Amino acid sequence: MSGQDVRVLQDFLTRAGFTTPVGGDFGPITLGNVKKFEKQYRLTVDGIADSAFVTKLREVADPRGNSTRTRVKGNATATARSLGDRVLKKGMSGQDVRVLQDYLNRAGFSTTIDGQFGSGTQRLVKRFQQAQELTVTGIVDAATVTALRKIGDAEGAGGADFDMSTVSAPVGRAKLLANGLAVAPSDAPQQVKDVINAANEIATKPYVYGGGHGKWIDRGYDCSGSVSYALYRAGLLKTSMPSGGFMNWEDPGEGQWITTYAHGGHMYMVVAGLRFDTSGADPSRWQSDMRSSSGFTVRHPAGF
């Protein structure tokens, strides 16, 4: 099932200590947390939010009664603090900030879900706004919420229950998720993680010839524009370069973490075992399969 009452259920589960992405779809994570709650409070463990379940959940999650309660939908009580009910900015806190952070994670901007709109959340909001060609204010207004929901709830993005923060980090090699995003290895240097996070921002952006060269935040990116963007965001590149420019870039040969492959007409890179390439992107530039490097010049950033 799906709807506002499911969002309220997910909100109350989170308040009760069972962190649940607030997406409005009753998916596997929500089902699992409902069953965990039932087991902990000695209810019938069937994964169904019936009246007995709702009564106990309200008792645990909102023992004093919530003053922001505004309306009843089904067996759940909605509050005025859903994402979009108010403009969010640095210094604010609450469940709607948690939902904001959840959506930022789904959009590829990894952040801690703690309900506190601090400097880190503000910085990622600005990066999201830049990537979506919105006015960069760091303030979550209606336009920002609409863009977040469009990406976070998109079909094929892993489902509304998807939450990047719940994905365990691999070791040694990046992990490719079903939604086309990559999870950096836990043992990778921070700059490698930054490359992966930046590449996630544009992984599903359309291919546009020359995109990413005239400006960093573009409506689409070509092959070298894509690689340039990710390396620039991680501080490994000062300006965008065409594919031919990468033929003489940094050090020759394969790197431990990052390797670029370039010739005069095309380029791509491999980061922690995943290929980031506009060729073969379907729909994401991240791909687990490798391609022949014949005819490409192989380089890597010093130290990586």
Side-chain angles (χ1 to χ4, degrees):
M1 299 179 69
S2 62
Q4 178 61 25
D5 46 354
V6 179
R7 288 182 182 274
V8 177
L9 167 65
Q10 293 163 334
D11 176 9
F12 273 63
L13 281 169
T14 298
R15 290 197 232 168
F18 299 82
T19 302
T20 310
V22 182
D25 284 347
F26 200 124
I29 293 177
T30 301
L31 176 64
N33 284 341
V34 166
K35 288 184 176 180
K36 289 177 183 177
F37 183 91
E38 289 170 331
K39 183 176 181 180
Q40 180 166 325
Y41 291 96
R42 298 182 179 180
L43 301 171
T44 301
V45 181
D46 56 11
I48 297 174
D50 55 17
S51 58
F53 177 91
V54 170
T55 298
K56 188 63 178 179
L57 181 61
R58 285 179 179 167
E59 176 187 324
V60 173
D62 195 18
R64 298 181 180 178
N66 195 312
S67 61
T68 63
R69 187 175 295 163
T70 59
R71 64 189 182 275
V72 175
K73 190 138 180 111
N75 281 329
T77 303
T79 73
R81 290 299 169 84
S82 297
L83 180 62
D85 283 352
R86 59 176 179 165
V87 173
L88 297 176
K89 58 186 178 180
K90 184 179 177 182
M92 299 177 74
S93 63
Q95 179 60 23
D96 48 354
V97 178
R98 286 181 177 273
V99 178
L100 163 66
Q101 293 165 333
D102 176 28
Y103 270 94
L104 284 169
N105 275 318
R106 292 192 230 171
F109 298 81
S110 180
T111 186
T112 301
I113 300 177
D114 59 7
Q116 304 295 320
F117 199 128
S119 298
T121 298
Q122 182 188 53
R123 182 174 62 255
L124 293 177
V125 167
K126 287 182 176 181
R127 288 178 65 179
F128 175 82
Q129 289 170 330
Q130 282 184 325
Q132 296 300 309
E133 298 183 335
L134 301 171
T135 302
V136 180
T137 61
I139 296 173
V140 182
D141 55 11
T144 303
V145 171
T146 297
L148 280 166
R149 290 192 185 281
K150 182 178 179 181
I151 294 174
D153 294 336
E155 183 178 359
D161 269 341
F162 178 73
D163 176 0
M164 282 285 283
S165 68
T166 67
V167 181
S168 59
V171 175
R173 181 185 176 94
K175 179 191 297 184
L176 180 60
L177 303 178
N179 61 6
L181 300 181
V183 181
S186 59
D187 57 337
Q190 185 58 49
Q191 284 173 291
V192 174
K193 295 178 181 178
D194 290 343
V195 167
I196 291 174
N197 286 336
N200 279 339
E201 296 174 12
I202 63 168
T204 58
K205 282 265 190 173
Y207 178 92
V208 173
Y209 181 76
H213 292 290
K215 54 184 179 179
W216 286 120
I217 306 303
D218 215 336
R219 65 186 181 89
Y221 297 80
D222 64 13
C223 58
S224 56
S226 300
V227 174
S228 292
Y229 178 89
L231 294 173
Y232 167 76
R233 283 293 198 184
L236 298 177
L237 193 68
K238 292 183 178 180
T239 184
S240 62
M241 295 194 301
S243 55
F246 279 95
M247 295 175 68
N248 298 304
W249 179 66
E250 291 284 323
D251 293 348
E254 295 183 351
Q256 178 182 358
W257 292 101
I258 302 171
T259 305
T260 61
Y261 299 82
H263 57 51
H266 185 63
M267 78 160 304
Y268 64 97
M269 69 176 173
V270 174
V271 185
L274 290 181
R275 177 164 63 104
F276 190 69
D277 191 352
T278 55
S279 178
D282 183 27
S284 172
R285 289 169 171 78
W286 285 119
Q287 300 163 67
S288 58
D289 61 314
M290 295 296 112
R291 56 178 291 170
S292 172
S293 60
S294 177
F296 287 86
T297 300
V298 183
R299 313 285 292 189
H300 69 276
F304 298 98

